[in-house]
Amino acid sequence: MSDAKSPPALQAQTRLLHADRMSRPEHGAVHKPIHTSATFSYERAEDLVDVFQGSKSGFIYARQGNPTTTALENQITLLEGGTASASFATGMAAISAIFLGLLRGGDHVVSSQFLFGNTSSFFQTLQAFGVDFSFVDVTDAQAVKAALRPETRMVFTETIANPRTQVADLAGIGALCQQARVLLVVDNTLTSPALLRPGEHGAGLVVHSLTKSIAGHGHAMGGSVTDTGRYDWRDFPHIYDSYKKGPPATWGILQIKKKGLRDMGGTLRGEDAHRISVGAETLGLRMPAQCDSALQVARFLEAHPAIGKVYYPGLSSHPQHERAAGLFGGRFGTLLSFELREGLDPLAFLNRLRTVILSSHLSDTRTLAIPAAYTIYWEMGAERRKAMGIADGLIRLSVGLEACQDLLADFSQALDAAA
Ligand SMILES: *Cc1c(COP(=O)(O)O)cnc(C)c1O
């Protein structure tokens, strides 16, 4: 291949769209084909040996990835401004690969007390295997600092918490993790790289449920882990010798891939990687539109007499509004939650919605509403719900790409009937 058309310096959005072409797909295809082969071959036995031993890069058996998942991983790395990424079958597979791949019994983790429900449930499983957790209020970096111990291996937080929208003090937590040389892992699902790159605040690993805004369309599930290049893996005590052959910057993601994909098998299918890649190309256009609609909906709800409380970081009434404005470049995400005025029935209200769909899931193209305490946060019990600030009547809303006036009209008719 000639180098005559080597890539010029391009903006991130352009590089994202042209990432396929730069990897020179066969037959000059403008869009990368989907690879479905379970295994890959080499003409020379020496090459097969070198790829197995890691001295040459290449594909082996698709449980560890294929060209389609690699293309998606490259997109995510670009979006996050990181050094490398690994993709997984779901966001939970990505989260479990980090924790099961890197931690051992006796380790300690400082985690946000405001967690995605299944992450919270997974952390209970880890506690049964001897990993100790301190759950703290991450809106206050001092609470994180006070919980650090000599055996703390990781600090874990989400950016905007689901469903009450608490905003972590990422700058403060990032600074203290860098000072203490502790790995900071940030779940960036709720903000996406369109609003935030956690690496810029000191996160060493960024995890995503690709099922949410990065795919955006709700037609595929996936997860990812990105190494931001901000953490020095020589400080991490549990890297196996066999993963220490390359430069230290490669150790962490290699171990996460080997454990999470090769050993635990949480592999993303090529078909789904392709669907997610197609979605990722338009993230930078969808997120601003959905965030702007979410802000309008939040303002409308806050002003309505049938509403008790609205939680959205874009409202000046939100306790971390200023912080969110600084961190997220003036946009505040697609998730908000609210409570009806005392005495109004949230389920009856939901039944009156016509355009808004009753469903779980976040950052879909469609607007989705769910009574959070009775559904996604039911299993954890009343005590944990209380610690997370989830009232029984709390309704979680994920704002989609519909014309905003249609959403406002739908809320208006359902609320007027309630009041
Ligand atoms: C949905 C979600 C996950 C889990 O992702 P799946 O793709 O559903 O497995 C993890 N973290 C957050 C913040 C999420 O919203």
Side-chain angles (χ1 to χ4, degrees), residues 243-255:
Y243 307 139
K244 284 186 180 171
K245 289 184 188 131
T250 63
W251 297 356
I253 201 80
L254 181 61
Q255 183 157 319

Side-chain angles (χ1 to χ4, degrees), residues 280-322:
E281 291 188 351
T282 56
L283 173 74
L285 306 177
R286 285 182 282 109
M287 271 303 268
Q290 287 176 245
C291 292
D292 292 351
S293 266
L295 180 60
Q296 282 195 57
V297 170
R299 285 184 175 148
F300 170 83
L301 292 174
E302 193 175 48
H304 198 284
I307 295 286
K309 291 198 181 98
V310 182
Y311 307 100
Y312 185 65
L315 295 174
S316 53
S317 58
H318 189 283
Q320 292 95 40
H321 172 67
E322 294 298 324

Side-chain angles (χ1 to χ4, degrees), residues 259-273:
K259 297 297 155 193
L261 297 175
R262 189 197 59 190
D263 296 2
M264 295 191 285
T267 310
L268 179 64
R269 292 164 71 250
E271 288 88 342
D272 287 336

Side-chain angles (χ1 to χ4, degrees), residues 89-93 95 116 118-119 158 160 162 187 189-190 208-212 221-223 361-362 396:
T90 63
M92 286 316 300
I95 290 172
F116 176 66
N118 303 146
T119 303
E158 295 170 10
I160 302 175
N162 167 7
D187 183 335
T189 302
L190 269 286
H208 278 287
S209 167
L210 302 175
T211 319
K212 312 288 170 54
M221 302 197 77
H361 195 36
L362 295 168
R396 186 187 77 182

Side-chain angles (χ1 to χ4, degrees), residues 8 36 44 47 86 94 105 153 180 210 250 265 296-297 306 369 382 389 413:
T36 53
R44 293 174 61 247
D47 289 336
R153 298 281 166 253
L210 302 175
T250 63
Q296 282 195 57
V297 170
Q413 62 80 19

